[in-house]
Amino acid sequence: MALRACNQSQATRNGLKEKVLTLDTMNPCVRRVEYAVRGPIVLRALELEQELRQGVKKPFTEVIRANIGDAQAMGQKPITFLRQVLALCVNPDLLSSPNFPDDAKKRAERILQVCGGHSLGAYSISSGIQLIREDVARYIERRDGGIPADPNNIFLSTGASDAIVTVLRLLVAGEGRTRTGVLIPIPQYPLYSAALAELDAVQVDYYLDEEHVWALDVAELRRAVRQARDHCRPRALCVINPGNPTGQVQTRECIEAVIRFAFEERLFLLADEVYQDNVYAEGSQFHSFKKVLTEMGPPYAGQQELASFHSASKGYMGECGFRGGYVEVVNMDAAVQQQMVKLMSVRLCPPVPGQALLDLVVNPPAPSDPSFAQFQAEKQAVLAELAAKAKLAEQVFNEAPGIRCNPVQGAMYSFPRMQLPPRAVQRAQELGLAPDMFFCLRLLEETGICVVPGSGFGQREGTYHFRMTILPPMEKLRPLLEKLSEFHAKFTSEYS
């Protein structure tokens, strides 16, 4: 601190004004934000890619970024129908082209009719285009077996992430022991810890049960709430289903138990369901919180507050860059819902091309449409390949000594647990690194494989994990898994 004051004094003597915004004067909540998925290890991966382009010799020829669920960056081809309609919406002159099927043209015209000036370049209303919200409501009704959905309770968003942060903003209040606490699963998707740090809320960890395929245990929720009440006011419970980074799919019985718990403890439920199309394991099935809540009947159906989130970034679509998503709120106080509209209006509106894309996801070609057969074939091919990759990741890791991987029931990631020798842990501590970060950095430098250390997602003390996406093409995935397993064996031998 004295050195910094000296430097500032020197700057004043040299006629330089002290900066208004410094690390000392900036928002301290922002300084506490961490986001492992795009953290230091990814920055190093970018540097290595630059070095390879410059001709620097490495023990590998390419960096494989298996750190993030970015399907198209990993080579997944876009679904033809989605891109055809978007192309027509972006450039309506193409509507006269014979190269597009009639149903794609009709769909583009339908979307453009409800855009300001018949253009994707116009703002929409803050909660999203009304027609698209109506289509989302019909999608939810079909998904949930006819349970009604009200378009007025649906808000389109810049991906699911923006909607999640918006709802958290509404929930965060209080100071000291009355500060809002939000229960999040550990391991978690780092959006939650980052958003809670930025909002100066209290992160309340509840641990998933690794020994039982990352199951969610209500007894653990009770422990977390009981301990949290000593220093904050727990007000919300987040569940990620299917799980990220853990890949589990919750049973209906588990979801019912969570709803009962949230009702008893007066917790607002946040259901992150962006991987609902990504379910692979035999016997696993996606159950939406909205459907289960409604079917549970009184008193839960009419009183338990819920916000559920979905996105066009995952599933079979993989359209991350368009940033299309939605949130449906259930049993939200009407006055608070108006405040939510106000909060969204500050950001004007979600990207309109993302809204258009989301409309195609929730309202795909019907069996009578010319594009139906190709659409279905492409969708099933993507999901079948992801299922095969999920099985392969589990199999290869479990054949490797010192690595254990739960079944990847859903989502797009494996989260294996690895043994690290005491000397490796000691060396990591000497370098000021988490042991799994030390492992992942060495892995990157020696193989070009970029994965994220488990410490970035949270894990039980004394355990070490890494998260890797299963998205690389099959011809790259098996060699990647084998190379990673071989590196772990070499690393273990080096530090044994």
Side-chain angles (χ1 to χ4, degrees):
M1 193 68 185
L3 179 62
R4 187 175 291 168
C6 177
N7 288 341
Q8 289 170 349
S9 175
Q10 183 69 39
T12 304
R13 283 198 298 272
N14 291 340
L16 298 173
K17 289 177 67 176
E18 183 184 338
K19 291 188 183 297
V20 172
L21 186 61
T22 67
L23 282 175
D24 285 337
T25 62
M26 72 176 286
N27 183 340
C29 296
V30 174
R31 286 180 61 185
R32 290 199 297 270
V33 170
E34 293 183 5
Y35 189 63
V37 174
R38 293 176 184 255
I41 201 155
V42 182
L43 297 177
R44 180 59 187 144
L46 291 168
E47 291 173 357
L48 288 171
E49 286 177 331
Q50 180 67 18
E51 290 173 19
L52 284 170
R53 283 193 291 270
Q54 292 169 349
V56 179
K57 294 295 180 189
K58 300 286 178 187
F60 48 86
T61 57
E62 66 171 330
V63 172
I64 301 177
R65 285 203 245 165
N67 61 296
I68 193 166
D70 191 350
Q72 293 183 26
M74 301 303 292
Q76 182 176 308
K77 291 182 179 177
I79 301 295
T80 302
F81 181 75
L82 305 185
R83 286 303 182 87
Q84 284 177 331
V85 178
L86 280 171
L88 292 163
C89 287
V90 170
N91 185 2
D93 290 346
L94 295 174
L95 287 165
S96 59
S97 168
N99 298 324
F100 293 84
D102 287 343
D103 56 337
K105 291 179 180 178
K106 286 175 184 172
R107 191 64 62 83
E109 288 168 342
R110 180 175 182 264
I111 292 169
L112 289 171
Q113 281 298 316
V114 292
C115 292
H118 300 171
S119 171
L120 288 192
Y123 288 130
S124 75
I125 63 171
S126 300
S127 52
I129 294 169
Q130 180 66 21
L131 175 77
I132 297 176
R133 291 159 65 208
E134 291 168 0
D135 285 347
V136 171
R138 281 188 284 271
Y139 161 80
I140 293 169
E141 287 179 17
R142 289 194 308 273
R143 181 197 69 187
D144 292 344
I147 292 169
D150 184 347
N152 293 316
N153 293 334
I154 293 163
F155 301 84
L156 307 188
S157 57
T158 308
S161 301
D162 193 53
I164 290 166
V165 174
T166 297
V167 174
L168 287 174
R169 285 183 189 280
L170 294 170
L171 281 159
V172 172
E175 295 179 354
R177 291 184 61 175
T178 67
R179 268 201 309 164
T180 292
V182 179
L183 280 81
I184 65 171
I186 297 296
Q188 54 113 15
Y189 176 50
L191 164 71
Y192 293 96
S193 55
L196 294 175
E198 182 184 352
L199 296 171
D200 202 23
V202 179
Q203 175 180 320
V204 179
D205 297 343
Y206 69 89
Y207 289 91
L208 301 175
D209 186 353
E210 184 172 11
E211 303 307 314
H212 294 90
V213 197
W214 300 111
L216 197 168
D217 180 12
V218 170
E220 169 62 8
L221 292 178
R222 286 201 182 93
R223 177 208 62 78
V225 164
R226 187 175 62 250
Q227 292 183 1
R229 288 209 165 104
D230 291 338
H231 60 274
C232 71
R233 181 180 293 165
R235 299 184 71 202
L237 165 60
C238 169
V239 179
I240 308 173
N241 180 49
N244 175 11
T246 42
Q248 84 286 2
V249 179
Q250 303 295 356
T251 64
R252 184 190 172 96
E253 293 72 26
C254 173
I255 293 170
E256 287 182 3
V258 169
I259 290 170
R260 281 192 290 270
F261 171 80
F263 183 82
E264 291 162 10
E265 298 291 343
R266 297 193 68 239
L267 298 172
F268 191 108
L269 265 173
L270 291 88
D272 182 336
E273 298 175 332
V274 303
Y275 294 97
Q276 59 190 257
D277 288 310
N278 300 102
V279 177
Y280 318 119
E282 194 174 331
S284 292
Q285 182 182 351
F286 171 75
H287 302 277
S288 78
F289 267 78
K290 161 84 176 293
K291 182 175 193 285
V292 175
L293 173 63
T294 306
E295 291 178 348
M296 286 174 72
Y300 311 102
Q303 296 183 49
Q304 176 59 49
E305 295 151 276
L306 167 70
S308 57
F309 308 91
H310 194 21
S311 167
S313 297
K314 309 302 177 182
Y316 59 90
M317 306 80 71
E319 294 284 7
C320 304
F322 281 98
R323 312 307 300 130
Y326 74 79
V327 55
E328 180 187 22
V329 296
V330 178
N331 294 323
M332 180 179 268
D333 181 273
V336 173
Q337 203 158 317
Q338 285 303 309
Q339 294 296 311
M340 186 168 167
V341 173
K342 179 184 76 176
L343 198 54
M344 289 183 154
S345 70
V346 175
R347 298 187 182 185
L348 299 181
C349 70
V352 176
Q355 295 185 49
L357 176 75
L358 182 70
D359 188 67
L360 305 173
V361 171
V362 300
N363 186 20
S368 58
D369 291 337
S371 298
F372 177 77
Q374 182 180 8
F375 174 85
Q376 282 294 104
E378 291 177 351
K379 174 182 175 180
Q380 294 309 322
V382 170
L383 293 174
E385 186 171 23
L386 284 169
K389 291 173 181 178
K391 197 74 183 166
L392 179 67
E394 177 194 350
Q395 175 193 332
V396 173
F397 282 138
N398 284 329
E399 288 171 355
I403 300 180
R404 204 188 94 206
C405 184
N406 269 319
V408 182
Q409 297 175 325
M412 296 178 170
Y413 315 96
S414 64
F415 196 69
R417 179 171 172 175
M418 57 182 170
Q419 295 173 4
L420 296 180
R423 282 184 60 228
V425 174
Q426 182 183 342
R427 180 59 183 146
Q429 290 167 346
E430 290 167 359
L431 295 168
L433 297 171
D436 47 12
M437 172 63 90
F438 177 50
F439 172 85
C440 290
L441 282 170
R442 284 283 306 273
L443 173 73
L444 175 62
E445 296 287 349
E446 296 185 30
T447 68
I449 297 171
C450 180
V451 298
V452 189
S455 50
F457 301 88
Q459 56 197 347
R460 284 197 180 274
E461 182 113 15
T463 68
Y464 308 110
H465 300 78
F466 59 87
R467 186 192 84 160
M468 68 160 283
T469 178
I470 60 170
L471 288 170
M474 192 63 91
E475 64 271 17
K476 282 190 177 181
L477 183 61
R478 182 181 285 277
L480 183 157
L481 294 166
E482 291 171 349
K483 189 184 288 188
L484 203 160
S485 300
E486 289 163 6
F487 175 81
H488 177 264
K490 172 178 169 291
F491 182 88
T492 301
S493 173
E494 180 182 343
Y495 285 98
S496 293

